[in-house]
Amino acid sequence: MKRYKTETGIFIYFLFVRISFIILSGFNTCELCSDSGWIDMLSERVLAGNFDFDIGRFIVAPFYNIFIAIHKIIFQRYWTVALISSQLILSSLSGVCLYKIGSMLFERRTALVSTAIFCVFPMTLWWVHTFCTESIFQSLLIISLFFLLKTVYTARYLYLILSAIIFSITFLTKAHILLYSPFLALYLFMNLYGYKKVFFPFVYTSICLLATLPFGIYNLKLHNQYIISSNGSAFHFYTGNSNFGYITVVDVPEKGTEEFQKMKDMDMSFFNGEIHDKIMIKKHYIKQKEYLIYSVNWIANNPVSFLKLKLYNAFFFIFPGVSFRHYNLRLWAFSFFVSAPFYILGYIGMIFWIKKDFKHHFFSFGIFITMFIFSVVWYTQNRFRTITIEPIYILYAGNTLFRMTKKLKGIIY
């Protein structure tokens, strides 16, 4: 009974903090994310029976567009309130699940510290009522990880199936998390026994593949390309490994200049030349290959710039906060000083526990490697890092803080 009271209290605490943020911040549902406009447009396509999620650059992941359309059908003119409510509920449930993950990995008091920090962490609150994939993706990922750990700790089919279904929805919301799939399968293999070492990863993979069939077959007929979730990986690779990528990360134009604004607007033609426009008019199954060809050629012709770009990407992935080269000093300072303690404590905690119990903490190591690969090989996108790995940093930071406090008390007394 005490456990359920704690979980109910966490849920209410998360709801209260998030509703307070929405009221006090004054931000509207589309103000914080430039993607909100085309996401709403795609949900309108769904209402018309059109599931073609082509936005020109690539075909986007389907779930969130359909999720919004369902809210529009059910709640009619009140769909915006209903959608915000759904995101708030999911975010609050993810808080409960983060607490449960912490309780399994560490202990109840540590889990409470981490959960309390996560609840008020500004970078998490930022997206909670915005009409974009960030908030719902983060919530779904945490919930799927909770069921993944429950699978390992109990070896029950129910938790395996729940984790696989929710993880499928997660990658159908944002496709970059598909990079985590091999680590997920390996985590199951490392921590289970007997036939389940192989059978559970097989079942998990099968459920995820089945989840791709409707969208995959639809796009195979429409675009001559089977798309698991989104075919944006080639475009993002091109974004991060081109003249545009180099200028965005290494040779950033001075703020206030025309070049800086075109960089912010992702004006690829301005930086990559007329070849960009030539690629853009082609069909997707050709376009995606040509993105890669352009990037490979750019890397071959600019080896020093490429190496420099990768080093910058690695630095900005490790370094907390938003980029000081893209945002004003006040916003950068706020994000840095809020994030830095939890990054440092999180790194310390992850290293400590991975060394102490590699098998059970491999899931977090896998997420770190996943995001490092994405941020370095593709390109550094801090909001992807925020929604994917920062909850894990906070989880370990809370444990590090608890262990340090305990050690300090031992020294004093």
Side-chain angles (χ1 to χ4, degrees), residues 33-299:
C33 183
S34 60
D35 294 348
S36 297
W38 60 255
I39 288 172
D40 184 52
M41 176 196 71
L42 293 180
S43 74
E44 289 294 320
R45 281 190 196 173
V46 175
L47 295 178
N50 182 358
F51 293 87
D52 182 10
F53 298 142
D54 179 2
I55 59 167
R57 304 184 299 275
F58 55 91
I59 296 164
V60 301
F63 179 75
Y64 192 61
N65 314 311
I66 297 169
F67 188 69
I68 293 178
I70 291 169
H71 281 75
K72 288 181 176 181
I73 291 167
I74 296 173
F75 300 102
Q76 298 293 309
R77 59 179 177 153
Y78 302 107
W79 72 269
T80 55
V81 175
L83 183 61
I84 292 169
S85 300
S86 295
Q87 293 186 183
L88 289 175
I89 290 167
L90 272 172
S91 182
S92 301
L93 283 172
S94 75
V96 175
C97 287
L98 192 77
Y99 164 74
K100 287 172 169 283
I101 292 170
S103 298
M104 282 188 280
L105 291 174
F106 313 119
E107 56 178 25
R108 181 177 171 274
R109 287 176 296 176
T110 292
L112 282 171
V113 171
S114 299
T115 306
I117 295 167
F118 179 65
C119 182
V120 297
F121 190 62
M123 306 307 170
T124 297
L125 290 173
W126 194 251
W127 307 105
V128 74
H129 71 301
T130 299
F131 293 166
C132 64
T133 54
E134 273 65 23
S135 178
I136 192 171
F137 168 83
Q138 185 179 75
S139 299
L140 290 167
L141 178 61
I142 292 169
I143 295 167
S144 71
L145 289 175
F146 161 65
F147 285 116
L148 177 68
L149 266 68
K150 285 289 283 185
T151 302
V152 162
Y153 280 75
T154 65
R156 289 183 60 186
Y157 282 93
L158 173 63
Y159 296 128
L160 175 78
I161 293 166
L162 286 172
S163 180
I165 291 171
I166 298 169
F167 184 73
S168 298
I169 300 170
T170 306
F171 72 68
L172 289 171
T173 302
K174 282 189 99 61
H176 75 279
I177 199 60
L178 282 166
L179 290 170
Y180 182 58
S181 302
F183 298 101
L184 194 157
L186 188 55
Y187 177 68
L188 289 170
F189 178 81
M190 289 168 63
N191 286 280
L192 295 167
Y193 299 94
Y195 76 94
K196 290 181 178 179
K197 286 175 75 70
V198 175
F199 189 62
F200 270 37
F202 172 77
V203 172
Y204 204 109
T205 303
S206 299
I207 291 170
C208 290
L209 288 174
L210 283 171
T212 72
L213 287 175
F215 194 59
I217 293 170
Y218 183 89
N219 281 290
L220 186 62
K221 290 181 177 179
L222 189 65
H223 294 290
N224 200 29
Q225 194 175 28
Y226 189 96
I227 297 171
I228 292 175
S229 169
S230 165
N231 67 346
S233 61
F235 174 79
H236 288 308
F237 187 78
Y238 160 74
T239 302
N241 296 276
S242 62
N243 293 328
F244 174 80
Y246 186 81
I247 288 165
T248 301
V249 178
V250 181
D251 191 20
V252 180
E254 186 180 342
K255 294 184 182 74
T257 62
E258 181 189 4
E259 268 196 319
F260 184 81
Q261 190 56 50
K262 285 188 177 294
M263 180 201 72
K264 294 282 283 184
D265 294 340
M266 290 190 71
D267 188 341
M268 309 287 277
S269 301
F270 184 82
F271 297 104
N272 288 351
E274 63 180 19
I275 191 170
H276 174 77
D277 296 324
K278 290 178 180 177
I279 294 173
M280 284 293 291
I281 61 173
K282 296 181 179 179
K283 293 185 180 298
H284 275 286
Y285 68 93
I286 299 172
K287 185 187 298 185
Q288 306 307 321
K289 293 175 185 175
E290 297 213 358
Y291 286 146
L292 290 175
I293 291 168
Y294 176 96
S295 299
V296 170
N297 288 336
W298 183 86
I299 292 166

